[in-house]
Amino acid sequence: LLSLKKSKRENMFPVTIISSDPENRKLYPSNQSNSFINKLNIPLLFSDRTQWTVSLRCIAFPKICNIYPEQCHMTIVNVIQGDDVGPPIKISLKTAYINNVNSLVSYLNETIANEVTKYPSGNLIPAFLVEGKRITFNANGYKCSLSRDMMKLLGLTHSYLETSIIISSDSIIQGVCDPDLFIFQPQEIIVLSNIVEESFYAQSRPNILRIIPIPFQDKENIYNYVQFPNQDKIPISFDRISDIKIDIMTRKGDLVSFTNQNDVKVQLEFEKK
């Protein structure tokens, strides 16, 4: 299932692992781009594993999402003649990758419209607009509560707020700075593997293969490709390796949210000291 390429260097060989390999999907149906297992054609045997290390030489992965429901959420209540009418309507954006302001505003307005239609009132609904490079919000007769993270992401405030902001039903809020669409996107990813020894990290003992700074994700190209000229040479933890598991996490300990289930490709290099 994996190909081992020959090398001119003695006591060294690479192994390539692919997240969506169809044969491995049969063996491990739960494989996905941020957590997957590949079974080796032939087990790797190390007569003295203390003399062997493994390094992450390169990795290719799809775009990483930058919009998350934990930050992008709001609550609206229809107001008529100063009184709340109907139940509070909770609105949150689904996890997504969006790299321009116009697309983000369209996504926001579409999400609001979809939720408000469940409680029809015949009135206008809250709406976001793009004016120049900044975003304006019109409450349009609804009392609105925007999360502080959402306010910061949309450029409706200069700094982080201590609490959510309540916007009155007749208010129009204009952006004070340009939106920062990538403010909540992970800045680094942590690649873990079952084949390496435990590390000491953030009061835990994860099996860290490598911590990778994420290239800026604003471009339209589909894939990221990162190659590492320097080897980390992490000690391996088994004398016999039949399968290799890869988990790709954020620093918060969550699996990374990629934009789709396209391949994540990892090349490891085993080397004898």
Side-chain angles (χ1 to χ4, degrees), residues 11-232:
N11 298 324
M12 184 278 288
F13 58 88
V15 175
T16 301
I17 306 172
I18 303 174
S19 64
S20 62
D21 177 80
E23 294 301 319
N24 276 293
R25 277 280 181 86
K26 295 176 184 177
L27 295 172
Y28 308 103
S30 61
N31 273 6
Q32 52 189 356
S33 56
N34 54 16
S35 180
F36 54 95
I37 303 173
N38 275 194
K39 186 175 181 62
L40 302 176
N41 277 341
I42 302 173
L44 304 178
L45 303 177
F46 303 95
S47 57
D48 185 358
R49 69 175 177 83
T50 61
Q51 296 299 309
W52 285 86
T53 61
V54 63
S55 302
L56 177 61
R57 296 312 309 272
C58 60
I59 182 171
F61 53 92
K63 290 291 186 183
I64 296 174
C65 294
N66 60 318
I67 302 297
Y68 301 94
E70 306 91 85
Q71 288 86 32
C72 299
H73 60 88
M74 59 188 294
T75 301
I76 64 175
V77 180
N78 192 16
V79 175
I80 298 178
Q81 296 181 351
D83 296 325
D84 293 358
V85 178
I89 303 172
K90 296 182 179 180
I91 296 163
S92 63
L93 298 183
K94 295 180 179 179
T95 302
Y97 169 79
I98 297 176
N99 70 344
N100 66 83
V101 175
N102 288 316
S103 295
L104 176 59
V105 165
S106 295
Y107 185 28
L108 281 164
N109 290 335
E110 180 183 350
T111 303
I112 293 170
N114 289 338
E115 293 299 321
V116 171
T117 54
K118 300 175 183 177
Y119 309 93
S121 64
N123 298 328
L124 294 173
I125 63 174
F128 292 90
L129 302 171
V130 179
E131 295 185 351
K133 293 183 178 181
R134 297 187 177 175
I135 292 176
T136 297
F137 177 68
N138 191 333
N140 279 336
Y142 283 77
K143 182 174 68 178
C144 305
S145 172
L146 276 65
S147 69
R148 57 182 182 174
D149 288 338
M150 189 172 178
M151 294 281 291
K152 178 62 177 173
L153 183 147
L154 298 178
L156 300 179
T157 178
H158 281 294
S159 58
Y160 286 104
L161 304 171
E162 293 184 359
T163 60
S164 299
I165 296 298
I166 305 296
I167 300 172
S168 60
S169 59
D170 58 353
S171 294
I172 297 177
I173 306 297
Q174 294 182 328
V176 295
C177 56
D178 293 350
D180 188 349
L181 274 60
F182 297 93
I183 190 171
F184 297 115
Q185 187 178 65
Q187 301 300 304
E188 296 172 314
I189 59 176
I190 302 175
V191 181
L192 308 178
S193 178
N194 64 318
I195 67 171
V196 298
E197 293 186 350
E198 294 178 336
S199 307
F200 291 96
Y201 175 81
Q203 298 181 341
S204 61
R205 296 174 64 87
N207 304 84
I208 297 178
L209 190 57
R210 193 164 189 132
I211 299 175
I212 305 170
I214 298 174
F216 196 46
Q217 301 288 285
D218 63 330
K219 303 300 182 183
E220 289 288 350
N221 57 302
I222 298 174
Y223 265 86
N224 297 279
Y225 178 77
V226 183
Q227 189 169 13
F228 308 102
N230 299 320
Q231 297 175 318
D232 279 350

Side-chain angles (χ1 to χ4, degrees), residues 244-255:
I244 299 176
K245 187 177 192 297
I246 296 291
D247 290 313
I248 305 176
M249 315 288 290
T250 69
R251 281 195 177 271
K252 293 181 178 180
D254 302 319
L255 289 170

